[in-house]
Coordinates of all heavy atoms in Angstrom, one line a residue:
W1 N -17.6 -1.1 2.8 CA -17.5 -2.0 4.0 C -17.2 -3.4 3.5 O -17.4 -3.8 2.4 CB -18.9 -2.0 4.7 CG -20.1 -2.4 3.9 CD1 -20.9 -1.6 3.2 CD2 -20.7 -3.7 3.9 NE1 -21.9 -2.3 2.7 CE2 -21.8 -3.6 3.0 CE3 -20.3 -5.0 4.4 CZ2 -22.6 -4.7 2.8 CZ3 -21.1 -6.0 4.1 CH2 -22.2 -5.9 3.3
H2 N -16.6 -4.2 4.4 CA -16.1 -5.6 4.1 C -17.0 -6.6 4.6 O -17.5 -6.5 5.8 CB -14.7 -5.7 4.7 CG -13.7 -4.7 4.2 ND1 -12.8 -5.1 3.1 CD2 -13.4 -3.4 4.5 CE1 -12.0 -4.1 2.8 NE2 -12.3 -3.1 3.6
A3 N -17.3 -7.6 3.8 CA -18.1 -8.7 4.2 C -17.4 -9.6 5.2 O -18.0 -10.2 6.1 CB -18.5 -9.5 3.0
R4 N -16.1 -9.8 5.0 CA -15.3 -10.9 5.8 C -14.2 -10.3 6.5 O -13.4 -11.1 7.1 CB -14.9 -12.0 4.8 CG -16.0 -12.7 4.1 CD -15.5 -13.7 3.2 NE -14.4 -14.6 3.7 CZ -14.6 -15.8 4.1 NH1 -15.7 -16.4 4.0 NH2 -13.5 -16.5 4.6
E5 N -14.0 -9.1 6.6 CA -12.7 -8.5 7.1 C -13.0 -7.4 8.1 O -13.6 -6.4 7.7 CB -11.8 -8.0 6.1 CG -10.5 -7.5 6.5 CD -9.6 -7.2 5.3 OE1 -9.5 -7.9 4.4 OE2 -9.1 -6.0 5.4
D6 N -12.6 -7.5 9.4 CA -12.6 -6.4 10.3 C -11.6 -5.4 9.9 O -10.5 -5.7 9.3 CB -12.2 -6.9 11.8 CG -13.3 -7.8 12.3 OD1 -14.5 -7.7 12.0 OD2 -12.9 -8.7 13.1
E7 N -11.8 -4.1 10.1 CA -10.9 -3.1 9.7 C -10.7 -2.1 10.9 O -11.6 -1.8 11.6 CB -11.5 -2.4 8.5 CG -10.4 -1.5 7.8 CD -11.0 -0.9 6.5 OE1 -12.2 -0.8 6.4 OE2 -10.2 -0.7 5.6
F8 N -9.5 -1.6 11.1 CA -9.2 -0.7 12.2 C -8.4 0.4 11.6 O -7.5 0.3 10.8 CB -8.3 -1.4 13.2 CG -7.7 -0.5 14.3 CD1 -8.4 -0.1 15.4 CD2 -6.4 -0.1 14.1 CE1 -7.8 0.8 16.3 CE2 -5.8 0.7 15.0 CZ -6.5 1.1 16.1
V9 N -8.7 1.7 11.9 CA -8.1 2.9 11.4 C -7.6 3.7 12.6 O -8.4 3.9 13.5 CB -9.1 3.7 10.5 CG1 -8.4 5.0 10.1 CG2 -9.6 2.9 9.4
M10 N -6.4 4.2 12.5 CA -5.8 5.1 13.6 C -5.1 6.3 12.9 O -4.3 6.1 11.9 CB -4.8 4.4 14.5 CG -4.4 5.3 15.6 SD -3.3 4.4 16.8 CE -1.7 4.6 16.0
V11 N -5.5 7.5 13.3 CA -4.8 8.7 12.8 C -3.5 8.9 13.5 O -3.4 8.9 14.7 CB -5.7 10.0 12.9 CG1 -4.9 11.2 12.5 CG2 -6.9 9.8 12.2
I12 N -2.4 8.9 12.8 CA -1.0 9.1 13.3 C -0.7 10.6 13.5 O -0.2 11.0 14.5 CB 0.0 8.4 12.4 CG1 -0.4 7.0 12.2 CG2 1.5 8.6 13.0 CD1 -0.4 6.1 13.3
S13 N -1.0 11.4 12.5 CA -0.7 12.8 12.6 C -1.7 13.6 11.7 O -2.3 13.0 10.8 CB 0.7 13.2 12.3 OG 1.0 12.9 10.9
G14 N -1.9 14.8 12.0 CA -2.8 15.6 11.1 C -4.2 15.6 11.6 O -4.5 15.2 12.7
E15 N -5.2 16.0 10.8 CA -6.6 16.0 11.0 C -7.3 15.5 9.8 O -7.1 16.1 8.8 CB -6.9 17.5 11.4 CG -8.3 17.8 11.7 CD -8.6 19.2 12.1 OE1 -8.2 19.6 13.2 OE2 -9.1 19.9 11.3
L16 N -8.1 14.6 10.0 CA -8.9 13.9 8.9 C -10.3 13.8 9.4 O -10.6 13.7 10.5 CB -8.3 12.5 8.6 CG -6.8 12.4 8.2 CD1 -6.3 11.0 8.2 CD2 -6.7 13.0 6.8
T17 N -11.1 13.8 8.4 CA -12.6 13.6 8.6 C -13.0 12.2 8.2 O -12.7 11.8 7.1 CB -13.5 14.6 7.9 OG1 -13.0 15.9 8.3 CG2 -14.9 14.5 8.1
L18 N -13.5 11.4 9.2 CA -14.1 10.1 8.9 C -15.5 10.2 8.4 O -16.3 10.8 9.1 CB -14.0 9.2 10.1 CG -14.6 7.9 10.0 CD1 -13.9 7.0 9.0 CD2 -14.7 7.2 11.4
V19 N -15.8 9.8 7.2 CA -17.1 9.8 6.7 C -17.7 8.4 6.7 O -17.0 7.5 6.1 CB -17.1 10.4 5.2 CG1 -18.5 10.4 4.6 CG2 -16.5 11.8 5.2
T20 N -18.8 8.2 7.4 CA -19.4 6.9 7.4 C -20.9 7.1 7.0 O -21.3 8.2 6.8 CB -19.4 6.3 8.8 OG1 -20.2 7.0 9.7 CG2 -18.0 6.2 9.4
D21 N -21.7 6.0 6.9 CA -23.1 6.0 6.5 C -23.8 6.8 7.7 O -24.9 7.3 7.5 CB -23.6 4.6 6.4 CG -23.1 3.9 5.1 OD1 -22.6 4.7 4.3 OD2 -23.3 2.7 5.1
E22 N -23.2 6.9 8.9 CA -23.8 7.5 10.0 C -23.5 9.0 10.1 O -24.1 9.7 10.9 CB -23.4 6.8 11.3 CG -23.9 5.3 11.3 CD -23.0 4.5 12.2 OE1 -22.0 4.9 12.8 OE2 -23.4 3.3 12.4
G23 N -22.6 9.5 9.3 CA -22.2 10.9 9.4 C -20.7 11.1 9.4 O -20.0 10.3 8.9
E24 N -20.3 12.2 9.9 CA -18.9 12.6 9.8 C -18.4 12.9 11.2 O -19.0 13.3 12.1 CB -18.7 13.9 9.0 CG -19.1 13.8 7.5 CD -18.7 15.0 6.8 OE1 -18.2 16.0 7.3 OE2 -19.0 15.0 5.5
T25 N -17.0 12.5 11.4 CA -16.4 12.7 12.6 C -15.0 13.2 12.4 O -14.2 12.6 11.6 CB -16.2 11.3 13.4 OG1 -17.5 10.8 13.6 CG2 -15.6 11.4 14.8
L26 N -14.6 14.3 13.0 CA -13.3 14.8 13.0 C -12.3 14.0 13.8 O -12.6 13.6 15.0 CB -13.2 16.2 13.4 CG -11.9 17.0 13.3 CD1 -11.6 17.1 11.8 CD2 -12.0 18.3 13.9
M27 N -11.2 13.5 13.1 CA -10.3 12.6 13.9 C -8.9 13.3 13.8 O -8.4 13.9 12.8 CB -10.1 11.3 13.2 CG -11.5 10.5 13.2 SD -11.3 8.9 12.4 CE -10.3 8.1 13.7
R28 N -8.2 13.2 15.0 CA -6.8 13.8 15.2 C -5.9 12.7 15.6 O -6.4 11.6 16.0 CB -6.9 15.0 16.1 CG -7.7 16.1 15.6 CD -7.7 17.3 16.6 NE -8.3 18.5 16.0 CZ -9.5 18.9 16.4 NH1 -10.2 18.3 17.3 NH2 -10.1 20.0 15.8
A29 N -4.7 13.1 15.7 CA -3.6 12.0 16.2 C -4.1 11.3 17.4 O -4.5 11.9 18.4 CB -2.3 12.8 16.4
G30 N -4.1 10.0 17.3 CA -4.4 9.1 18.4 C -5.9 8.6 18.3 O -6.2 7.6 19.0
D31 N -6.7 9.2 17.5 CA -8.1 8.8 17.4 C -8.1 7.5 16.6 O -7.4 7.4 15.6 CB -8.9 9.9 16.8 CG -9.2 11.1 17.6 OD1 -9.0 11.0 18.9 OD2 -9.5 12.1 17.1
C32 N -9.0 6.6 16.9 CA -9.2 5.4 16.3 C -10.7 5.1 15.9 O -11.6 5.6 16.5 CB -8.7 4.2 17.2 SG -7.0 4.4 17.7
A33 N -10.8 4.2 14.9 CA -12.2 3.7 14.6 C -12.0 2.3 14.1 O -11.0 1.9 13.6 CB -12.8 4.6 13.5
A34 N -13.1 1.4 14.4 CA -13.0 0.1 14.0 C -14.4 -0.3 13.3 O -15.4 0.3 13.6 CB -12.9 -0.8 15.2
F35 N -14.3 -1.1 12.3 CA -15.4 -1.5 11.5 C -15.4 -3.0 11.5 O -14.6 -3.7 10.8 CB -15.3 -1.0 10.1 CG -15.2 0.6 10.1 CD1 -14.0 1.2 10.0 CD2 -16.3 1.3 10.2 CE1 -13.8 2.6 10.2 CE2 -16.2 2.8 10.3 CZ -15.0 3.3 10.2
P36 N -16.4 -3.6 12.1 CA -16.6 -5.1 12.1 C -17.0 -5.6 10.7 O -17.8 -5.0 10.0 CB -17.6 -5.4 13.2 CG -18.4 -4.1 13.3 CD -17.5 -3.0 12.9
A37 N -16.5 -6.8 10.4 CA -16.9 -7.5 9.1 C -18.3 -7.7 9.1 O -18.9 -8.0 10.1 CB -16.1 -8.8 9.0
G38 N -18.9 -7.6 7.9 CA -20.3 -7.9 7.7 C -21.3 -6.8 8.2 O -22.5 -7.1 8.0
K39 N -20.9 -5.8 8.7 CA -21.8 -4.7 9.1 C -21.8 -3.6 8.0 O -20.8 -3.0 7.9 CB -21.4 -4.1 10.5 CG -22.4 -3.1 10.9 CD -22.0 -2.5 12.3 CE -23.0 -1.4 12.6 NZ -22.6 -0.7 13.8
P40 N -22.9 -3.4 7.3 CA -22.9 -2.5 6.2 C -22.9 -1.0 6.8 O -23.8 -0.5 7.3 CB -24.3 -2.7 5.6 CG -24.8 -4.0 6.1 CD -24.1 -4.2 7.4
N41 N -21.6 -0.5 6.7 CA -21.4 0.9 7.1 C -20.2 1.4 6.3 O -19.0 1.3 6.7 CB -21.1 1.0 8.6 CG -20.9 2.4 9.1 OD1 -21.2 3.4 8.3 ND2 -20.6 2.6 10.3
G42 N -20.5 1.9 5.1 CA -19.4 2.4 4.2 C -18.7 3.5 4.9 O -19.3 4.3 5.8
H43 N -17.3 3.6 4.7 CA -16.5 4.6 5.4 C -15.3 4.9 4.5 O -14.8 4.1 3.8 CB -16.1 4.0 6.7 CG -15.5 2.6 6.6 ND1 -16.3 1.4 6.6 CD2 -14.2 2.2 6.5 CE1 -15.4 0.5 6.5 NE2 -14.2 0.9 6.4
H44 N -14.8 6.1 4.7 CA -13.6 6.6 4.1 C -13.1 7.8 4.8 O -13.9 8.4 5.6 CB -13.7 6.9 2.6 CG -14.7 7.9 2.2 ND1 -16.1 7.7 2.2 CD2 -14.5 9.3 1.9 CE1 -16.7 8.9 1.9 NE2 -15.8 9.8 1.7
L45 N -11.8 8.1 4.6 CA -11.3 9.3 5.3 C -11.1 10.4 4.2 O -10.7 10.2 3.1 CB -9.9 9.0 5.9 CG -9.9 8.1 7.1 CD1 -8.5 7.6 7.4 CD2 -10.5 8.8 8.3
V46 N -11.3 11.7 4.7 CA -11.1 12.9 3.8 C -10.2 13.9 4.5 O -10.4 14.2 5.7 CB -12.4 13.5 3.5 CG1 -12.3 14.8 2.6 CG2 -13.4 12.6 2.8
N47 N -9.2 14.5 3.8 CA -8.4 15.5 4.4 C -8.9 16.8 4.0 O -8.7 17.2 2.8 CB -6.9 15.3 4.0 CG -6.0 16.3 4.7 OD1 -6.4 17.2 5.4 ND2 -4.7 16.0 4.5
R48 N -9.6 17.6 4.9 CA -10.1 18.9 4.5 C -9.2 19.9 5.2 O -9.6 21.1 5.1 CB -11.6 19.0 5.1 CG -12.5 18.0 4.3 CD -13.9 18.2 4.8 NE -14.8 17.3 4.0 CZ -15.8 16.7 4.5 NH1 -16.1 16.8 5.8 NH2 -16.5 15.9 3.7
S49 N -8.1 19.6 5.8 CA -7.2 20.5 6.4 C -6.2 21.0 5.4 O -6.1 20.5 4.3 CB -6.5 19.8 7.6 OG -5.5 18.9 7.1
W50 N -5.4 21.9 5.8 CA -4.3 22.4 5.0 C -3.0 21.6 5.1 O -2.1 21.8 4.3 CB -4.0 24.0 5.3 CG -5.2 24.8 5.0 CD1 -6.1 25.3 5.8 CD2 -5.5 25.3 3.7 NE1 -7.0 26.1 5.1 CE2 -6.6 26.1 3.8 CE3 -4.9 25.2 2.4 CZ2 -7.2 26.8 2.8 CZ3 -5.4 25.9 1.3 CH2 -6.6 26.6 1.5
G51 N -2.9 20.8 6.0 CA -1.7 20.0 6.2 C -1.9 18.6 5.8 O -2.9 18.1 5.4
N52 N -0.8 17.8 5.9 CA -0.8 16.4 5.6 C -1.5 15.6 6.8 O -1.5 16.0 7.9 CB 0.6 15.8 5.4 CG 1.3 16.4 4.2 OD1 0.6 16.6 3.2 ND2 2.6 16.5 4.2
G53 N -2.1 14.5 6.4 CA -2.7 13.6 7.4 C -2.1 12.2 7.2 O -2.0 11.7 6.1
V54 N -1.7 11.6 8.2 CA -1.0 10.3 8.2 C -1.9 9.3 9.0 O -2.3 9.6 10.1 CB 0.4 10.3 8.7 CG1 1.0 8.9 8.7 CG2 1.2 11.2 7.9
F55 N -2.3 8.2 8.4 CA -3.1 7.2 9.2 C -2.7 5.8 8.9 O -2.0 5.5 7.9 CB -4.6 7.4 8.8 CG -4.9 7.2 7.3 CD1 -5.4 6.0 7.0 CD2 -4.8 8.2 6.4 CE1 -5.7 5.8 5.5 CE2 -5.1 8.0 5.1 CZ -5.5 6.8 4.7
L56 N -3.1 4.9 9.7 CA -2.8 3.4 9.7 C -4.1 2.7 9.6 O -5.0 3.0 10.2 CB -2.0 3.0 10.9 CG -1.8 1.6 11.1 CD1 -0.8 1.1 10.2 CD2 -1.4 1.3 12.5
V57 N -4.1 1.8 8.6 CA -5.3 0.9 8.4 C -4.7 -0.5 8.6 O -3.7 -0.9 8.0 CB -5.9 1.1 7.0 CG1 -7.1 0.0 6.9 CG2 -6.3 2.5 6.7
V58 N -5.5 -1.3 9.5 CA -5.1 -2.6 9.7 C -6.3 -3.5 9.4 O -7.5 -3.3 9.7 CB -4.8 -2.9 11.2 CG1 -4.5 -4.3 11.5 CG2 -3.7 -2.0 11.7
G59 N -6.0 -4.5 8.6 CA -7.0 -5.5 8.1 C -6.2 -6.8 7.7 O -5.0 -6.7 7.5
A60 N -7.0 -7.8 7.6 CA -6.3 -9.1 7.2 C -6.1 -9.4 5.7 O -5.4 -10.2 5.3 CB -7.2 -10.3 7.7
R61 N -6.8 -8.6 4.9 CA -6.8 -8.8 3.4 C -7.2 -10.2 3.1 O -6.6 -10.9 2.4 CB -5.4 -8.5 2.8 CG -4.9 -7.1 3.1 CD -5.9 -6.1 2.3 NE -5.5 -4.7 2.4 CZ -6.3 -3.8 2.9 NH1 -7.5 -4.0 3.2 NH2 -5.8 -2.5 3.0
D62 N -8.4 -10.6 3.6 CA -9.0 -11.9 3.4 C -9.2 -12.1 1.9 O -9.8 -11.3 1.2 CB -10.3 -11.9 4.1 CG -11.0 -13.3 4.1 OD1 -11.1 -13.9 3.0 OD2 -11.4 -13.7 5.1
R63 N -8.7 -13.2 1.4 CA -8.7 -13.5 -0.1 C -10.1 -13.7 -0.6 O -10.4 -13.7 -1.8 CB -7.8 -14.7 -0.4 CG -6.4 -14.4 -0.1 CD -5.5 -15.6 -0.3 NE -5.8 -16.3 -1.5 CZ -4.9 -17.0 -2.2 NH1 -3.7 -17.1 -1.7 NH2 -5.2 -17.6 -3.3
D64 N -11.1 -14.0 0.3 CA -12.5 -14.3 -0.1 C -13.4 -13.1 0.3 O -14.6 -13.2 0.3 CB -13.0 -15.6 0.6 CG -12.2 -16.8 0.0 OD1 -12.0 -16.8 -1.2 OD2 -11.9 -17.6 0.8
D65 N -12.8 -12.0 0.6 CA -13.6 -10.8 1.0 C -14.4 -10.2 -0.2 O -14.0 -10.3 -1.3 CB -12.7 -9.7 1.6 CG -13.5 -8.6 2.4 OD1 -14.6 -8.9 2.8 OD2 -12.8 -7.6 2.6
V66 N -15.6 -9.6 0.2 CA -16.3 -8.9 -0.8 C -16.5 -7.5 -0.3 O -16.9 -7.3 0.9 CB -17.7 -9.5 -1.0 CG1 -18.6 -8.6 -2.0 CG2 -17.6 -10.9 -1.6
V67 N -16.1 -6.5 -1.0 CA -16.1 -5.1 -0.6 C -17.2 -4.3 -1.3 O -17.2 -4.3 -2.5 CB -14.7 -4.4 -0.8 CG1 -14.7 -2.9 -0.3 CG2 -13.6 -5.2 -0.2
T68 N -18.1 -3.7 -0.5 CA -19.3 -2.9 -1.0 C -18.9 -1.4 -0.8 O -18.7 -1.0 0.3 CB -20.6 -3.3 -0.4 OG1 -20.8 -4.7 -0.6 CG2 -21.7 -2.5 -1.0
Y69 N -18.9 -0.6 -1.9 CA -18.7 0.8 -1.8 C -20.1 1.4 -1.7 O -20.8 1.5 -2.7 CB -17.9 1.3 -3.1 CG -16.5 0.7 -3.1 CD1 -16.3 -0.6 -3.6 CD2 -15.4 1.4 -2.6 CE1 -15.0 -1.1 -3.6 CE2 -14.2 0.9 -2.5 CZ -14.0 -0.3 -3.1 OH -12.7 -0.9 -3.1
A70 N -20.4 1.9 -0.5 CA -21.8 2.3 -0.2 C -22.2 3.6 -1.0 O -23.4 3.7 -1.3 CB -21.9 2.6 1.3
D71 N -21.3 4.5 -1.4 CA -21.6 5.7 -2.0 C -21.6 5.7 -3.5 O -22.0 6.6 -4.1 CB -20.7 6.9 -1.5 CG -19.2 6.6 -1.7 OD1 -18.9 5.3 -1.9 OD2 -18.5 7.5 -1.6
I72 N -21.2 4.6 -4.1 CA -21.2 4.4 -5.5 C -21.7 3.0 -5.8 O -21.7 2.2 -5.0 CB -19.8 4.7 -6.2 CG1 -18.8 3.8 -5.6 CG2 -19.4 6.1 -5.9 CD1 -17.4 3.9 -6.3
D73 N -22.0 2.8 -7.1 CA -22.6 1.5 -7.6 C -21.4 0.6 -7.9 O -21.1 0.3 -9.1 CB -23.5 1.7 -8.8 CG -24.2 0.5 -9.2 OD1 -24.3 -0.5 -8.4 OD2 -24.7 0.4 -10.4
L74 N -20.7 0.0 -6.8 CA -19.6 -0.8 -7.0 C -19.4 -1.8 -5.9 O -19.6 -1.5 -4.7 CB -18.3 0.1 -7.1 CG -17.0 -0.5 -7.3 CD1 -16.9 -1.2 -8.7 CD2 -15.8 0.4 -7.1
V75 N -19.1 -3.0 -6.3 CA -18.8 -4.2 -5.4 C -17.5 -4.8 -6.0 O -17.4 -5.1 -7.2 CB -19.9 -5.2 -5.3 CG1 -19.6 -6.4 -4.5 CG2 -21.2 -4.5 -4.8
Y76 N -16.5 -5.1 -5.1 CA -15.4 -5.8 -5.4 C -15.3 -7.2 -4.8 O -15.5 -7.3 -3.6 CB -14.1 -5.0 -5.1 CG -12.8 -5.7 -5.4 CD1 -12.4 -6.0 -6.6 CD2 -12.0 -6.2 -4.3 CE1 -11.2 -6.7 -6.8 CE2 -10.8 -6.9 -4.5 CZ -10.5 -7.2 -5.8 OH -9.3 -7.8 -6.1
D77 N -15.1 -8.2 -5.6 CA -14.9 -9.6 -5.1 C -13.5 -10.0 -5.1 O -12.9 -10.2 -6.3 CB -15.8 -10.5 -6.0 CG -15.8 -12.0 -5.5 OD1 -14.8 -12.4 -4.9 OD2 -16.8 -12.6 -5.7
S78 N -12.9 -10.1 -4.0 CA -11.4 -10.5 -3.9 C -11.1 -11.9 -4.5 O -10.1 -12.0 -5.1 CB -10.9 -10.5 -2.5 OG -11.1 -9.2 -1.9
A79 N -12.0 -12.8 -4.3 CA -11.7 -14.2 -4.7 C -11.6 -14.3 -6.2 O -10.8 -15.0 -6.8 CB -12.8 -15.1 -4.2
S80 N -12.4 -13.5 -7.0 CA -12.4 -13.5 -8.5 C -11.6 -12.3 -9.0 O -11.5 -12.2 -10.2 CB -13.8 -13.6 -9.0 OG -14.5 -12.5 -8.7
D81 N -11.2 -11.4 -8.2 CA -10.6 -10.2 -8.6 C -11.4 -9.5 -9.6 O -10.9 -9.1 -10.6 CB -9.1 -10.4 -9.1 CG -8.4 -9.1 -9.4 OD1 -8.6 -8.2 -8.6 OD2 -7.5 -9.1 -10.2
S82 N -12.7 -9.3 -9.3 CA -13.7 -8.7 -10.3 C -14.5 -7.6 -9.6 O -14.8 -7.7 -8.5 CB -14.5 -9.7 -10.9 OG -15.3 -10.4 -9.9
Y83 N -14.9 -6.7 -10.4 CA -15.8 -5.6 -10.0 C -17.1 -5.8 -10.7 O -17.2 -6.2 -11.8 CB -15.2 -4.2 -10.5 CG -13.9 -3.9 -9.8 CD1 -12.7 -4.3 -10.2 CD2 -13.9 -3.2 -8.5 CE1 -11.5 -4.0 -9.6 CE2 -12.8 -2.9 -7.9 CZ -11.5 -3.3 -8.4 OH -10.3 -3.0 -7.7
A84 N -18.1 -5.4 -10.0 CA -19.5 -5.5 -10.5 C -20.4 -4.3 -9.9 O -20.0 -3.7 -9.0 CB -20.2 -6.8 -10.2
R85 N -21.5 -4.1 -10.6 CA -22.5 -3.2 -10.0 C -23.2 -3.9 -8.8 O -23.1 -5.1 -8.8 CB -23.5 -2.8 -11.1 CG -22.9 -2.0 -12.2 CD -23.9 -1.5 -13.2 NE -23.3 -0.8 -14.3 CZ -22.9 0.4 -14.4 NH1 -23.0 1.1 -13.2 NH2 -22.3 1.0 -15.4
K86 N -23.9 -3.2 -8.1 CA -24.6 -3.8 -6.9 C -25.7 -4.7 -7.3 O -26.1 -5.7 -6.6 CB -25.2 -2.7 -6.0 CG -24.1 -1.9 -5.3 CD -24.6 -0.9 -4.4 CE -23.5 -0.1 -3.8 NZ -23.9 1.1 -3.0
D87 N -26.2 -4.7 -8.6 CA -27.2 -5.7 -9.1 C -26.5 -6.9 -9.6 O -27.2 -7.8 -10.1 CB -28.1 -5.0 -10.1 CG -27.4 -4.7 -11.4 OD1 -26.2 -5.0 -11.6 OD2 -28.1 -4.1 -12.3
G88 N -25.2 -6.9 -9.6 CA -24.4 -8.1 -10.1 C -23.9 -8.0 -11.5 O -23.1 -8.8 -11.9
T89 N -24.3 -6.9 -12.2 CA -23.8 -6.7 -13.6 C -22.3 -6.5 -13.5 O -21.8 -5.6 -12.9 CB -24.5 -5.5 -14.3 OG1 -25.9 -5.7 -14.2 CG2 -24.0 -5.4 -15.7
P90 N -21.5 -7.3 -14.2 CA -20.0 -7.1 -14.1 C -19.5 -5.9 -14.9 O -20.1 -5.5 -15.9 CB -19.4 -8.4 -14.8 CG -20.5 -8.9 -15.6 CD -21.8 -8.5 -15.0
Y91 N -18.5 -5.2 -14.3 CA -17.8 -4.2 -15.0 C -16.8 -4.9 -15.9 O -16.2 -5.9 -15.6 CB -17.0 -3.3 -14.1 CG -17.9 -2.2 -13.4 CD1 -18.3 -2.4 -12.1 CD2 -18.2 -1.0 -14.1 CE1 -19.1 -1.4 -11.5 CE2 -19.1 0.0 -13.5 CZ -19.5 -0.2 -12.2 OH -20.2 0.7 -11.6
P92 N -16.6 -4.3 -17.2 CA -15.6 -5.0 -18.0 C -14.2 -4.8 -17.5 O -13.9 -3.9 -16.9 CB -15.8 -4.2 -19.4 CG -16.5 -2.9 -19.0 CD -17.2 -3.1 -17.7
K93 N -13.4 -5.9 -17.7 CA -12.0 -5.9 -17.3 C -11.3 -5.0 -18.3 O -11.6 -5.0 -19.5 CB -11.5 -7.2 -17.3 CG -12.0 -8.1 -16.2 CD -10.9 -9.0 -15.7 CE -11.5 -9.8 -14.5 NZ -10.7 -9.9 -13.4
D94 N -10.3 -4.3 -17.8 CA -9.4 -3.5 -18.6 C -8.6 -4.4 -19.6 O -8.2 -5.5 -19.3 CB -8.4 -2.7 -17.8 CG -9.0 -1.6 -17.1 OD1 -10.1 -1.2 -17.5 OD2 -8.5 -1.1 -16.1
A95 N -8.5 -3.9 -20.9 CA -7.8 -4.7 -21.9 C -6.3 -4.5 -21.8 O -5.8 -3.6 -21.3 CB -8.2 -4.3 -23.2

């Protein structure tokens, strides 16, 4: 989830499963979901079908955004282009 950026997702074609902290929702062409900035609700799409799934994601790409990955121990800080654990311990940069 994003601290400073609203996010909008729309399925263009195919069938995708939206996984959020609240559960799973099957999405088909024309279905939409929105995630307001600052609301802790991790989310991602999974293709469990046999066909391709095409989707559109709209966001501002705020340069000062902080992204928290709810299902793993990872936080990304856009301003410093750095990754850390949720307790603040930095991940090492690739050499």
Side-chain angles (χ1 to χ4, degrees):
W1 59 272
H2 296 264
R4 297 176 47 104
E5 181 176 311
D6 293 328
E7 192 172 31
F8 170 82
V9 178
M10 182 173 88
V11 176
I12 305 298
S13 65
E15 184 176 280
L16 299 168
T17 301
L18 174 65
V19 181
T20 70
D21 292 345
E22 299 159 349
E24 297 186 359
T25 303
L26 185 62
M27 297 182 70
R28 295 186 175 100
D31 290 341
C32 302
F35 302 95
K39 182 178 178 192
N41 185 8
H43 52 275
H44 63 277
L45 292 168
V46 178
N47 186 349
R48 295 184 177 141
S49 73
W50 291 100
N52 291 327
V54 178
F55 61 95
L56 171 72
V57 177
V58 178
R61 298 296 180 234
D62 188 308
R63 292 172 53 149
D64 295 319
D65 194 18
V66 175
V67 183
T68 301
Y69 295 82
D71 56 342
I72 58 176
D73 188 17
L74 181 66
V75 175
Y76 174 70
D77 185 328
S78 297
S80 62
D81 190 29
S82 62
Y83 293 89
R85 295 185 185 280
K86 291 179 184 173
D87 69 3
T89 306
Y91 278 101
K93 292 216 178 228
D94 290 338

